[in-house]
Amino acid sequence: MQTMSDDVFGKIVDIESEYKDRGYAQGKEAGKDAGAVEGRELGLERGFDIGKDLGFYQGWVQTWLDAATTQPGLVPDRAQKKLLAIKAVIDSVPATNIEGAHFDDRLKEIRQKFKVASAMLGVNISAELPTNSLGSTAARIIAENVTKLPDFDDTVNIWVYEEIVEGKKLTEIINTQHENVKYLPGHKLPNNVVAIPDAAEVVKDATHIVVVIPHQFIEHLLDRIHGSIRPDARAISLIKGIGISSQGMTTMTQIIHRTLAIPVSSLSGANIANEIAEKKYCETTIGCSDPDEAIVWRSLFNTPYFRVNCVSDVIGVEFCGALKNVVAVGAGFIDGLGLGNNTKAAIIRIGFLEMRRLAMHISGAQIQESTFMESCGIADVITTCYGGRNRRLAEEFVKTGKPMSQLEKELLNGQKLQGYLTADEVHSYIDGCGVTDHFPLFTNIYKICYKGKTPNSIFDGLNVDFSNDTRAPSPAL
């Protein structure tokens, strides 16, 4: 498994220190060469991201100046002037040892000019979709981080489904009161979060798109925005759901990539939105197949209270995030029945193993065993089964006998949950494959939600042996 940890960032800092210790001239030349190569090969998304010394800036600037020469009209005149201004500052720094304060002052000047130039080029704008509680929480984190990241524009645009709340448009409330009073009340959003009711306008010119929307609405949203996406953009999905197609089961990143034709990563973990908003310590997992992009995504999300670990297993992170909601529904049934912690622990264990089995059955060796031990795996199962809204809704389902959709309206202010919907989609897949007997808990949860089975039937047929499960699909399946 390939992971990106704090060690990577420590090495970057060590390299910078080594450059300065060896003398500025050597550091500048080494950095210039690296920055130029990376800038030309991978464009602005790489030429600046991995270092802070002047050489990397020069690689970024030269990339755009070259593009302005070879592709007339690509770079606006005003942006070209700013690029030349950055280059002039870089070239004015003497290629000999200089005092650290002088170096820092020049670097600060370059960074300020860089931010203006990057904004003119229409790059480095974060887009957030949309403003449910998790979306608002993520926007808050990103908005705080981008002000500290010189390679990103300070403004974080968020798509808001326009609603009237207490006689005012929700976008107006967010932009003036800086609070999502409907979905994240009591928690202020930074002033650089801007609410926009048009999703296509939000993603226009954005290089980084964060997708947070109930999974049943994703295809409709993608149809609306696909014509407005930059070709060099990339996205990350915070959606905890999966999709069913005629070809079988697909993940949200696959659906997004298929429609938008851009790289897509995933984020999932033991992340209850209100607790994150209160800045209570937690962890999360980012699945990103490109180590360089993982650095960028981590810089956008990582905080002292929201700790990010990156793995290369994009699909595994997604599957864990989606399937744990089904287990949480089962845990809620146990709470509704009043059967206690021992019974609940048994359901969690069996549910976790069925998650693992289903993931392996669908994707085989693509999903890494260790992913289940990340925050997106076992940690998210535990927190969702004890504190999540899927658990709460399932408990009330048992106690009141009301349909899930009605309970959503009464208890969750109309927000949509994924657990019982994912249970339906999972059952469609395993039933189509003829393997429902290998997933008794998931099958029982589906029947309780949709077929009128009593909550006590959750225990039917749970004596399944998981000891022979392997990373590859079992021949028995």
Side-chain angles (χ1 to χ4, degrees), residues 292-311:
D292 299 326
E293 287 189 12
I295 293 176
V296 179
W297 286 123
R298 185 182 188 277
S299 70
L300 285 172
F301 284 98
N302 191 62
T303 74
Y305 63 88
F306 191 69
R307 303 303 294 179
V308 177
N309 187 44
C310 298
V311 300

Side-chain angles (χ1 to χ4, degrees), residues 48-110:
F48 172 73
D49 284 338
I50 70 169
K52 298 177 181 177
D53 55 85
L54 293 178
F56 290 99
Y57 280 100
Q58 186 156 6
W60 187 90
V61 170
Q62 195 60 52
T63 297
W64 278 100
L65 290 175
D66 289 348
T69 301
T70 59
Q71 302 179 56
L74 177 66
V75 181
D77 290 342
R78 291 177 62 224
Q80 287 189 52
K81 291 179 181 179
K82 291 296 179 181
L83 291 168
L84 290 170
I86 299 173
K87 186 175 185 299
V89 176
I90 294 173
D91 293 343
S92 70
V93 179
T96 58
N97 290 352
I98 58 175
E99 294 296 326
H102 188 192
F103 175 86
D104 291 338
D105 287 344
R106 287 300 177 90
L107 197 56
K108 183 177 180 180
E109 182 181 357
I110 291 169

Side-chain angles (χ1 to χ4, degrees), residues 440-460:
L441 180 60
F442 285 173
T443 299
N444 292 343
I445 290 170
Y446 163 78
K447 290 181 178 179
I448 294 168
C449 289
Y450 293 99
K451 298 299 180 182
K453 289 286 187 176
T454 64
N456 277 308
S457 67
I458 193 172
F459 305 108
D460 293 351

